[in-house]
Amino acid sequence: MQETIKNINIDLLIPFENHPFKKRDGIENEELTESVKENGLLQPIIARSFSAGTFEIISGHRRVEVCKELGIQTIPAIVRDMTKDEAIIAMVDSNLQREHLLPSEKAFAYKMKLEALKHQGKTYGQVDHKSRDNISDNESGRQVQRYIRLTHLIPELLKLVDEERIAFTPAVELSYLPENEQKILFEEIEYADATPSLSQAQRLRKFSEQGRLSIDTIFAVLSEEKANQKEQVKFKTEDIRKYFPKSYTSLDMQKTIISLLEKWQRQRERNRGDAR
């Protein structure tokens, strides 16, 4: 594969079409911005030649956005000669190395890579759970297929998975519900302020397959007290939103609160040690 390293005008860089990795507007983005401010862009992005003298970004979308925000006009890039399918596979593989990935990002990334591999004739049909090499280096084909199932969820339910309100395995079960039933389920989740456990999700799927899933059935299942239900401390978003930047998601706020509590705990331990 031929490649060259060159400095490219940032206006000539085009985002990869339909890439599934979301922009981070919280802590991660702030840390990246500070790093680029202090040190410049240490790692070149990866791109491929596109139409009319432009370049399609393979890896480095977040770095490009940060550079634009900071007014940087030219950035270093490794430009590779790739087909569309080769570019998809490289884009997915490079982004899967990131430390924090949402379930929805993995789901659509795995789906894109599987379709690209099919085009190349390297895999066919369902992902064989015994084969791990083509799709993921650290997850089985069966687990990859579970992630791909999440692409069948409506956006509202998938967002709850990303926010960790619905666990991964129950979400896979819910992905088998038809779209209209998923919409009803989402409305009942919001109304009851409860999400299904694995056993509840399995029952909802079974009711659906039997043609017996209704609003009343969904409400009855969600209203059950879960056997492993634990006491929780909850905050209303509107009560704490004022303490965070507008760009912060619920997950960003949660991570920040945990981080501050950890610092507070360490300070208490130091104070106790000084008092001895």
Side-chain angles (χ1 to χ4, degrees):
M1 184 182 297
Q2 291 186 339
E3 67 177 39
T4 56
I5 299 178
K6 59 176 67 177
N7 290 319
I8 297 177
N9 187 307
I10 205 164
D11 294 330
L12 297 178
L13 293 169
I14 299 173
F16 198 95
E17 184 180 10
N18 297 325
H19 85 87
F21 301 99
K22 298 177 176 65
K23 180 183 177 183
R24 296 293 194 266
D25 289 326
I27 298 171
E28 288 183 50
N29 194 62
E30 290 178 3
E31 291 175 347
L32 178 59
T33 301
E34 286 304 312
S35 173
V36 175
K37 269 185 184 178
E38 293 179 11
N39 308 304
L41 195 60
L42 298 177
Q43 183 180 6
I45 68 164
I46 299 174
R48 70 169 183 148
S49 297
F50 210 52
S51 61
T54 61
F55 299 87
E56 185 176 46
I57 304 168
I58 305 296
S59 173
H61 289 83
R62 289 189 302 153
R63 283 171 281 162
V64 169
E65 288 301 315
V66 165
C67 287
K68 284 182 178 179
E69 291 169 5
L70 295 175
I72 298 172
Q73 291 297 314
T74 304
I75 62 175
I78 298 171
V79 180
R80 292 178 178 163
D81 183 15
M82 301 185 196
T83 66
K84 179 68 173 179
D85 289 330
E86 288 172 342
I88 289 173
I89 293 167
M91 181 273 296
V92 170
D93 287 346
S94 63
N95 282 282
L96 285 176
Q97 306 306 314
R98 282 160 52 176
E99 186 176 354
H100 301 294
L101 283 176
L102 298 173
S104 63
E105 293 175 317
K106 272 193 175 185
F108 284 100
Y110 283 149
K111 183 178 181 180
M112 288 181 73
K113 183 174 179 181
L114 176 60
E115 291 174 351
L117 288 171
K118 283 181 180 179
H119 291 160
Q120 293 183 336
K122 293 183 179 179
T123 185
Y124 299 90
Q126 296 290 314
V127 178
D128 184 346
H129 70 276
K130 294 180 181 179
S131 174
R132 304 171 57 160
D133 297 333
N134 284 348
I135 307 297
S136 172
D137 291 333
N138 52 23
E139 290 183 304
S140 68
R142 188 174 179 182
Q143 183 70 352
V144 166
Q145 195 62 40
R146 289 194 185 104
Y147 270 107
I148 292 175
R149 278 301 318 174
L150 298 185
T151 65
H152 295 272
L153 288 172
I154 61 173
E156 294 87 351
L157 289 179
L158 189 53
K159 186 171 184 287
L160 296 184
V161 181
D162 283 343
E163 294 174 347
E164 300 180 355
R165 289 178 60 188
I166 298 179
F168 175 76
T169 310
V172 172
E173 295 293 323
L174 298 176
S175 73
Y176 289 92
L177 302 184
E179 183 177 333
N180 64 312
E181 292 179 351
Q182 289 189 39
K183 289 179 178 178
I184 295 171
L185 172 62
F186 174 73
E187 291 173 359
E188 291 304 306
I189 285 173
E190 292 296 287
Y191 179 77
D193 192 23
T195 55
S197 64
L198 175 58
S199 63
Q200 289 173 331
Q202 289 170 335
R203 285 161 55 207
L204 291 172
R205 178 183 173 183
K206 187 173 181 180
F207 284 136
S208 175
E209 291 170 346
Q210 295 171 344
R212 298 168 51 203
L213 192 62
S214 65
I215 294 177
D216 292 338
T217 306
I218 294 172
F219 179 76
V221 170
L222 292 179
S223 298
E224 298 169 351
E225 185 173 349
K226 299 178 181 65
N228 63 346
Q229 201 165 32
K230 297 180 180 179
E231 184 178 356
Q232 296 181 340
V233 177
K234 294 184 178 180
F235 298 98
K236 290 184 178 179
T237 303
E238 57 266 29
D239 291 340
I240 62 173
R241 168 59 70 186
K242 61 184 177 182
Y243 299 109
F244 297 90
K246 291 181 180 179
S247 61
Y248 270 41
T249 64
S250 298
L251 192 57
D252 287 328
M253 290 191 286
Q254 178 183 320
K255 287 179 179 178
T256 302
I257 291 170
I258 295 298
S259 175
L260 291 171
L261 286 172
E262 288 173 349
K263 290 179 182 177
W264 176 63
Q265 177 65 17
R266 289 195 295 270
Q267 184 61 51
R268 289 182 64 211
E269 291 173 353
R270 282 197 294 270
N271 292 341
R272 282 201 297 267
D274 293 341
R276 289 174 185 169

